[in-house]
Amino acid sequence: MSQTTAAPRSFQAIILALQSYWASKGCAILQPYDMEVGAGTFHPATTLRSLGSRPWTAAYVQPSRRPTDGRYGENPNRLQHYYQYQVLIKPSPPDLQDLYLGSLEAIGIDMDLHDIRFVEDDWESPTLGAWGLGWEVWCDGMEVSQFTYFQQVGGHDCHPVSGELTYGLERLAMYVLGVDHVMDMPFNDPDAPIPLTYADVFKQTEEEYARWNFDTANTDVLLRQFEEAEAHCKAILDQPATDPKTGKRIIMAHPAYDQCIKASHMFNLLDARGVISVTERQAYIGRVRALAKMCADAFVDTRAGGRTEDAA
Amino acid sequence: MPDLLIELFSEEIPAQMQRRAAEDLQKLVTDGLVTAGLTYAHAVSFSTPRRLTLALEGMLAASPAVVEDRKGPKADAPEKAIEGFLRGAGVTRDQLETRETPKGDVLFARIEKPGRPAAEIIAEVLEQTIRNFPWPKSMRWGDGALKWVRPLHSIIALITTEEGAEVVPMTVDGITAGRATQGHRFMAPGQITVSGFEDYEAKLKRAYVVLNPADRAETIWHDGTNLAFAQGLEVVEDQGLLAEVSGLVEWPVTLMGPIADDFLGLPPEVLQTSMREHQKFFSVKNPKTNRIEKFITVANRETADEGATILAGNEKVLSARLADAKFFWENDLRVAKADMNQWVQDLENVTFHSKLGTQAELIERMAVLARELAPLVGADPDEAEEAARLAKADLSSEMVYEFPELQGLMGSYYAKAAGKSDAVANAAKEHYAPLGPSDDVPTAPVSVAVALAEKIDKLTGFWAIDEKPTGSKDPYALRRAALGVIRILVENDLGLALDRFIDSQLVRNKGMAVPELDNGPIEEFVREIAEHGVFGAAFRTVMDRHEAGTTATAIRNIGEQVPDKSKNLLSFLHDRLKVYLRDQGVRHDIIDACIAMEGNDDLTLLVKRARALSETLNTDDGENLIQGFKRANNILSQAEEADGVEYSYGADVRFAETDEERALFHALDAAEAKITPAMARQDFTTAMSAMAALRAPIDAFFDAVQVNADNGTVRRNRLNLLSRIRSICTSVADLTKVEG
């Protein structure tokens, strides 16, 4: 463990420390997925790659959007757009807890002074048809990460089991940096020629998106886009496995999954607009879950999903 | 004799599951060992966040040898059958013995099962236990197939004798049992090796692990109360939290911190709930002001700065949490002071049940009913109605959204802030009561009216849509609601005939499902029920008025179903009442005897009658009276059946032939003179003691008199006399239902 790292002084220093720590532990450092998602779990590097028998190890930052959490940038802790740091290792290594604790040291949390606890928290994603058991990790009473052993994703049992770590980056960084309001947090080094705070980067967008999410997003358009994405996803998966042009077996699990992600985000936006009733809610979640399951079914039938090539 | 130490070491076990898991480990292992013949003298089990431990003392070193005689086929059975038996029993032909039995010569095998060494048995039993452990939820990890609550890392299975310790040779899914474990994750990282239970417990302690959860709980409570006491404060007791926190730490270190002044104005229940639910903090109260001023958190380690960093971090998290709570509280107060009805309006968008409408509609039904009940429970109708309208308003508040367990209580605070009367405000927090058999019932009249309205509407609502409890399924807690109605009425001594309210509320709830009916005809119907006092006449009156058309059809559909449902609901209440009274020592047949009487929809009256009857029957006279009554009733019933007439009138003392007969006439006259007025004023005790006084004359009568006399006039007169016994006794309770 690198004890030499100077204590981080900015949001990005914490992200960089996590990146280099997990790189040093052998993870492939991926980039964020280029679509709107509600959490790092939606990145296909987690959802799809946790399926099937092939080993996998990846870490990445994922910008995440939760339209209902928007507070116009005024709440010290709540944002409609925030960052998660996500680690997925399959099969989960026996020392995953120790690896995780090492990452906290890497961002400057002194294990000799703090009280770290693993407190039961079972994870379930109704939209992904996924669940797992694990903990929320507490540092001095504050939740700093989610730690989950995936048991099922997209309705499929996970064999082997992936270990998933999710860090809420803003909250963790605020804690490490001793900042009380997210907008006051230094984004780059405070001594940089042009120092920027989190507010400099995101205050305006939080306002803009809060207004759009809550009041002006066109619900007819959103609803249509939800339905189009749903239909599109199914249509992609209805294609024959063999590509008529190349003659190769190409199941388009990822393009279909993109449409599933899109439908999920449209649902979140509709929810924020307050046009989905309690009873309808369950129905929408069920529709997204059906898509996620179809994509999972498709993925496990591909090479990356663990399918051993036909003799033919 | 050997001892046994077992430890299953894993990643953090959910606190709530630990105690049960330690018990299960003990039970499964010891049951398995005993079944295999391996008995022991003493067993204890423990749990920490990372381990389940079982220690046995005085165990057998091996199971005893067992000799079994197994019966085989007859001696002259076909060779194939004998061969099969030999294979099954694992013996050879020359080991068989032929014995004479009543069925002929039969082959017997004498099977000697040698004893097995403890290690072998333990290995089997422990593997079975691990593979079939009853975790509420379990998981796989890595690429293994084993299931445990969280990844299982190591197993200690160690048999110790005076000669030394021996590891039980066993491997479960790649985990080989040994004698090593780990101490505290942070304070003593690395392996420790143990030689037996005492060594294990001592070394763990040196490695900052307190094995016994009871010891950890005691340390937490002891240290916590000391910290508080030193500053003149006291810790608010919370056994559930103490048990949970004991399961979150291996080395408890108790720290006390302040709650920032900003938050001291929050209601104490909000502080306590927020701290307990989110942070697992204990609340520390100032006994002088009764305010919660500090918190106690339990860390899992000691630090060089004596917990300063940990405490500072916890304070900060608490402040963020309480800032949320304060934000909710202040926002809610603003809304409440402006107009609490806004919250009720918001409930128009919240479904109560798909067939029973929204929460707002539920509140409307409750409010109307509370108003109707008010005069009968001594409440002001306007106040009762207002209280019912506001009682559930807090379901729209932000605080209750965050902490659902504070419903009702927050409503009270907000109603007070909005300037409502104390009666109205208190009804919000009291109208859910009683929540359990030992919970207090509301006594303030307005609270009583709203609490009754809430429960009666709930019961009639779910009866209207045929969602009654069945077997163990009672998803809407209707049994609890029924017990609530019973307890509120009986414990407040409120005589109230429920029938008409059940009918009315059934009409209102059935009306919910009929969109073509607006409130007009429904409330007209309800008014007629109140007017007539009986359902049938009210129904006919309404039907006469509407003769034909869709309204008439709709009303008919509702009305036709009400009597059956109403009867069924009342008998459900009676069933719950039986349970309630049984717990107080009143027999079910006594209650049946009282339920059979008029006015059984007045539960308080019913209970009084049942208690008086129960007391009477507990006396010598009462018990014997029942015999006499039964005898009279049997003779009478047989005669009535044989003669095809009913003997009900005309007993005349002039035809009496014996003194005993005459004495009974006089006794019945005297009893009737007491019973009739006593019953009129519902004085069951007087009525029943008058009835019990009949015991002696009835007994004397039966001893001396032959009822079925040869003389027809005398016989008829005596039968009519028995009929007086029956009518007088059954005017008090239906004694035919009493057993004995």
Side-chain angles (χ1 to χ4, degrees):
Chain A
M1 245 160 268
S2 66
Q3 297 294 348
T4 50
T5 333
R9 302 179 64 211
S10 65
F11 186 50
Q12 72 191 30
I14 287 169
I15 296 175
L16 292 170
L18 283 174
Q19 295 278 51
S20 70
Y21 175 82
W22 286 107
S24 77
K25 298 299 170 189
C27 284
I29 303 300
L30 303 183
Q31 300 306 319
Y33 203 55
D34 57 344
M35 290 187 67
E36 299 125 315
V37 294
T41 309
F42 275 84
H43 195 308
T46 290
T47 328
L48 296 182
R49 294 292 177 156
S50 64
L51 293 165
S53 56
R54 293 195 166 215
W56 181 252
T57 178
Y60 54 90
V61 176
Q62 181 62 49
S64 305
R65 302 196 190 211
R66 294 201 178 156
T68 46
D69 277 355
R71 296 290 183 274
Y72 302 84
E74 282 159 16
N75 185 291
N77 302 300
R78 279 187 208 274
L79 301 160
Q80 58 81 39
H81 172 281
Y82 65 105
Y83 289 108
Q84 285 193 338
Y85 196 82
Q86 176 88 2
V87 179
L88 190 87
I89 307 181
K90 177 175 79 174
S92 64
D95 59 347
L96 188 57
Q97 280 186 311
D98 290 332
L99 287 171
Y100 166 75
L101 292 170
S103 75
L104 295 186
E105 287 194 83
I107 57 172
I109 294 179
D110 181 352
M111 291 292 141
D112 289 335
L113 287 180
H114 293 276
D115 181 33
I116 310 290
R117 229 83 74 66
F118 292 86
V119 180
E120 174 191 18
D121 190 40
D122 300 338
W123 172 80
E124 190 182 9
S125 168
T127 37
L128 288 176
W131 69 275
L133 299 190
W135 311 273
E136 45 182 52
V137 184
W138 285 14
C139 176
D140 304 334
M142 155 118 152
E143 183 196 336
V144 289
S145 304
Q146 287 278 337
F147 191 129
T148 308
Y149 291 102
F150 279 3
Q151 301 296 301
Q152 224 180 43
V153 173
H156 289 259
D157 280 346
C158 297
H159 270 297
V161 166
S162 301
E164 183 212 41
L165 308 172
T166 303
Y167 307 69
L169 282 172
E170 281 82 358
R171 185 143 49 144
L172 180 62
M174 283 166 67
Y175 190 74
V176 171
L177 301 173
V179 175
D180 290 330
H181 197 297
V182 64
M183 291 296 163
D184 298 336
M185 181 160 63
F187 202 103
N188 61 357
D189 195 298
D191 294 331
I194 304 175
L196 295 173
T197 63
Y198 201 89
D200 293 327
V201 183
F202 283 123
K203 170 77 174 159
Q204 182 178 323
T205 55
E206 281 299 307
E207 287 171 354
E208 292 176 7
Y209 277 102
R211 182 175 176 194
W212 185 71
N213 291 336
F214 289 131
D215 302 323
T216 56
N218 183 321
T219 55
D220 294 337
V221 173
L222 296 176
L223 194 58
R224 196 169 65 235
Q225 287 179 344
F226 177 90
E227 272 158 7
E228 281 171 2
E230 183 184 41
H232 205 170
C233 177
K234 291 177 180 165
I236 295 169
L237 294 174
D238 278 344
Q239 296 298 314
T242 305
D243 172 27
K245 197 164 91 193
T246 62
K248 286 185 180 174
R249 189 170 185 284
I250 304 177
I251 291 177
M252 294 167 287
H254 285 82
Y257 181 64
D258 285 351
Q259 299 303 317
C260 170
I261 293 177
K262 197 170 278 179
S264 172
H265 183 60
M266 291 305 144
F267 162 71
N268 288 341
L269 288 170
L270 285 164
D271 197 25
R273 288 286 279 112
V275 294
I276 292 179
S277 74
V278 182
T279 30
E280 286 174 317
R281 228 185 119 76
Q282 289 314 313
Y284 273 101
I285 290 173
R287 283 162 78 179
V288 178
R289 179 167 60 241
L291 298 181
K293 283 189 169 168
M294 287 191 293
C295 294
D297 292 347
F299 179 75
V300 296
D301 204 20
T302 67
R303 273 192 315 282
R307 183 181 203 265
T308 39
E309 283 308 303
D310 300 345
Chain B
M1 281 184 145
D3 297 337
L4 173 65
L5 169 65
I6 290 172
E7 185 205 60
L8 303 172
F9 180 82
S10 66
E11 296 175 15
E12 278 76 359
I13 306 166
Q16 317 269 22
M17 297 181 192
Q18 290 166 20
R19 173 202 282 262
R20 177 65 194 271
E23 288 166 5
D24 285 339
L25 175 66
Q26 176 169 339
K27 181 165 180 3
L28 290 169
V29 170
T30 54
D31 284 359
L33 297 184
V34 170
T35 305
L38 209 61
T39 54
Y40 62 95
H42 184 64
V44 278
S45 55
F46 304 100
S47 59
T48 80
R50 294 210 286 170
R51 65 201 88 222
L52 301 179
T53 303
L54 171 65
L56 297 189
E57 272 175 27
M59 183 181 64
L60 293 180
S63 60
V66 183
V67 179
E68 183 198 342
D69 261 348
R70 194 182 293 181
K71 189 179 167 191
K74 287 187 179 175
D76 55 1
E79 202 52 32
K80 282 216 155 169
I82 296 174
E83 274 171 24
F85 175 61
L86 290 175
R87 254 198 319 278
V91 294
T92 55
R93 184 71 204 242
D94 54 341
Q95 288 171 292
L96 292 185
E97 196 181 295
T98 309
R99 288 188 210 161
E100 278 180 36
T101 74
K103 289 182 182 172
D105 286 352
V106 173
L107 295 172
F108 277 82
R110 196 180 151 78
I111 305 165
E112 289 187 20
K113 284 191 185 160
R116 300 168 65 209
E120 207 179 300
I121 296 172
I122 292 164
E124 276 174 23
V125 168
L126 185 53
E127 175 161 1
Q128 278 302 309
T129 300
I130 293 171
R131 291 198 185 278
N132 302 303
F133 205 80
W135 291 110
K137 270 189 206 166
S138 60
M139 53 162 274
R140 290 173 289 102
W141 60 95
D143 47 17
L146 188 63
K147 286 190 152 191
W148 199 246
V149 64
R150 293 292 183 277
L152 180 66
H153 280 270
S154 64
I155 300 171
I156 293 179
L158 197 62
I159 300 171
T160 49
T161 58
E162 275 152 25
E163 286 86 59
E166 173 207 347
V167 171
V168 174
M170 62 176 292
T171 299
V172 184
D173 253 54
I175 307 169
T176 301
R179 56 171 75 196
T181 185
Q182 299 193 31
H184 193 280
R185 186 192 281 284
F186 300 105
M187 296 184 73
Q191 274 199 345
I192 49 181
T193 306
V194 302
S195 61
F197 177 69
E198 273 176 33
D199 183 48
Y200 168 78
E201 195 178 19
K203 278 186 177 150
L204 279 183
K205 189 144 206 176
R206 260 178 277 148
Y208 301 96
V209 174
V210 179
L211 181 61
N212 191 338
D215 293 345
R216 296 196 299 273
E218 201 189 305
T219 303
I220 293 167
W221 188 249
H222 175 265
D223 293 357
T225 45
N226 272 357
L227 281 172
F229 182 75
Q231 301 195 20
L233 305 172
E234 49 189 51
V235 187
V236 178
E237 203 172 318
D238 189 337
Q239 287 301 325
L241 180 63
L242 183 60
E244 188 180 358
V245 171
S246 308
L248 286 171
V249 293
E250 295 199 310
W251 192 253
V253 175
T254 308
L255 303 166
M256 184 164 75
I259 297 169
D261 287 347
D262 267 9
F263 307 121
L264 292 179
L266 285 168
E269 295 90 346
V270 170
L271 286 172
Q272 211 178 326
T273 307
S274 173
M275 294 202 293
R276 182 185 58 222
E277 296 305 311
H278 292 314
Q279 303 303 132
K280 312 206 189 295
F281 288 171
F282 291 90
S283 298
V284 179
K285 189 171 73 173
N286 184 337
K288 287 189 204 95
T289 59
N290 242 349
R291 287 200 316 185
I292 291 168
E293 295 179 352
K294 290 185 190 279
F295 67 88
I296 280 183
T297 182
V298 182
N300 187 32
R301 63 163 307 152
E302 295 166 15
T303 59
D305 65 356
E306 294 186 333
T309 308
I310 296 173
L311 196 57
N314 275 290
E315 270 179 55
K316 197 162 174 173
V317 181
L318 179 63
S319 288
R321 289 287 189 189
L322 292 183
D324 276 350
K326 189 168 178 243
F327 178 77
F328 300 147
W329 168 246
E330 284 169 356
N331 270 357
D332 286 348
L333 281 179
R334 223 179 347 264
V335 179
K337 284 176 185 166
D339 183 10
M340 274 184 96
N341 289 310
Q342 183 55 50
W343 278 338
V344 180
Q345 276 170 37
D346 292 347
L347 292 173
E348 283 167 12
N349 300 317
V350 182
T351 307
F352 167 60
H353 183 286
S354 59
K355 290 180 182 164
L356 295 173
T358 64
Q359 290 276 11
E361 286 167 313
L362 164 90
I363 289 168
E364 182 60 31
R365 287 195 301 271
M366 250 175 71
V368 178
L369 181 56
R371 184 179 187 88
E372 289 165 358
L373 289 167
L376 298 165
V377 302
D380 175 64
D382 290 339
E383 234 180 357
E385 183 180 342
E386 186 183 24
R389 274 190 209 291
L390 297 179
K392 292 185 189 293
D394 65 354
L395 294 179
S396 297
S397 72
E398 294 185 40
M399 190 70 86
V400 172
Y401 182 81
E402 185 72 9
F403 299 114
E405 63 267 49
L406 293 180
Q407 68 178 14
L409 182 78
M410 293 322 297
S412 277
Y413 279 112
Y414 296 142
K416 266 178 209 156
K420 305 295 174 190
S421 71
D422 282 357
V424 169
N426 289 335
K429 89 177 149 201
E430 290 173 357
H431 86 283
Y432 292 104
L435 289 173
S438 54
D439 194 21
D440 287 342
V441 299
T443 54
V446 172
S447 299
V448 166
V450 182
L452 279 176
E454 196 240 6
K455 290 163 185 67
I456 293 172
D457 184 67
K458 189 174 186 186
L459 288 164
T460 50
F462 285 102
W463 247 255
I465 61 168
D466 290 318
E467 288 273 2
K468 302 171 214 172
T470 51
S472 62
K473 285 203 188 100
D474 184 10
Y476 306 107
L478 299 177
R479 290 193 181 102
R480 189 170 80 188
L483 180 63
V485 171
I486 292 166
R487 288 191 54 210
I488 292 171
L489 290 172
V490 174
E491 291 176 26
N492 283 305
D493 195 23
L494 289 168
L496 192 147
L498 281 175
D499 202 29
R500 124 169 125 83
F501 296 103
I502 292 178
D503 288 346
S504 308
Q505 216 60 9
L506 275 169
V507 168
R508 287 184 178 124
N509 273 294
K510 290 287 315 174
M512 285 304 302
V514 188
E516 55 270 45
L517 273 188
D518 62 16
N519 254 351
I522 293 291
E523 285 307 317
E524 177 194 334
F525 200 163
V526 169
R527 271 197 306 278
E528 293 298 339
I529 295 173
E531 183 81 12
H532 289 81
V534 281
F535 182 79
F539 185 30
R540 277 190 300 276
T541 308
V542 178
M543 287 314 298
D544 284 350
R545 206 172 298 149
H546 286 279
E547 276 178 38
T550 51
T551 309
T553 314
I555 291 179
R556 180 181 298 283
N557 287 341
I558 292 170
E560 279 173 348
Q561 294 179 40
V562 168
D564 279 352
K565 288 183 186 295
S566 175
K567 210 170 134 206
N568 186 280
L569 176 52
L570 188 60
S571 88
F572 177 76
L573 282 161
H574 286 153
D575 284 344
R576 302 326 296 168
L577 183 68
K578 283 184 198 173
V579 177
Y580 171 72
L581 286 177
R582 188 186 60 207
D583 293 345
Q584 302 182 5
V586 182
R587 290 183 348 226
H588 69 93
D589 55 320
I590 291 177
I591 305 164
D592 281 332
C594 299
I595 288 174
M597 303 302 289
E598 279 284 297
N600 65 4
D601 63 330
D602 179 340
L603 303 180
T604 305
L605 189 69
L606 183 51
V607 168
K608 277 188 194 159
R609 194 192 289 264
R611 283 189 180 138
L613 182 57
S614 182
E615 274 167 34
T616 305
L617 295 186
N618 277 335
T619 64
D620 193 40
D621 275 351
E623 206 183 317
N624 285 294
L625 173 76
I626 288 296
Q627 304 307 326
F629 168 81
K630 294 225 151 171
R631 196 164 163 193
N633 191 43
N634 287 340
I635 294 170
L636 188 58
S637 306
Q638 280 162 17
E640 285 180 331
E641 198 170 328
D643 303 348
V645 291
E646 189 178 322
Y647 294 99
S648 57
Y649 183 72
D652 193 330
V653 71
R654 279 178 306 161
F655 300 115
E657 290 188 336
T658 66
D659 287 347
E660 288 81 1
E661 209 173 347
R662 272 184 287 277
L664 182 56
F665 267 101
H666 297 312
L668 286 169
D669 288 343
E672 204 166 25
K674 284 186 191 161
I675 291 174
T676 311
M679 288 304 292
R681 58 176 193 273
Q682 297 176 353
D683 177 359
F684 297 112
T685 311
T686 303
M688 288 189 194
S689 69
M691 182 180 78
L694 290 171
R695 176 242 171 142
I698 291 176
D699 285 357
F701 172 81
F702 280 123
D703 284 347
V705 177
Q706 170 84 27
V707 174
N708 287 312
D710 294 336
N711 180 328
T713 311
V714 174
R715 175 175 175 268
R716 207 175 312 119
N717 196 50
R718 287 177 181 165
L719 287 168
N720 280 328
L721 180 62
L722 294 191
S723 158
R724 281 195 68 194
I725 298 180
R726 180 167 68 184
S727 71
I728 289 175
C729 288
T730 53
S731 74
V732 177
D734 185 354
L735 297 191
T736 61
K737 297 232 170 355
V738 176
E739 292 164 9

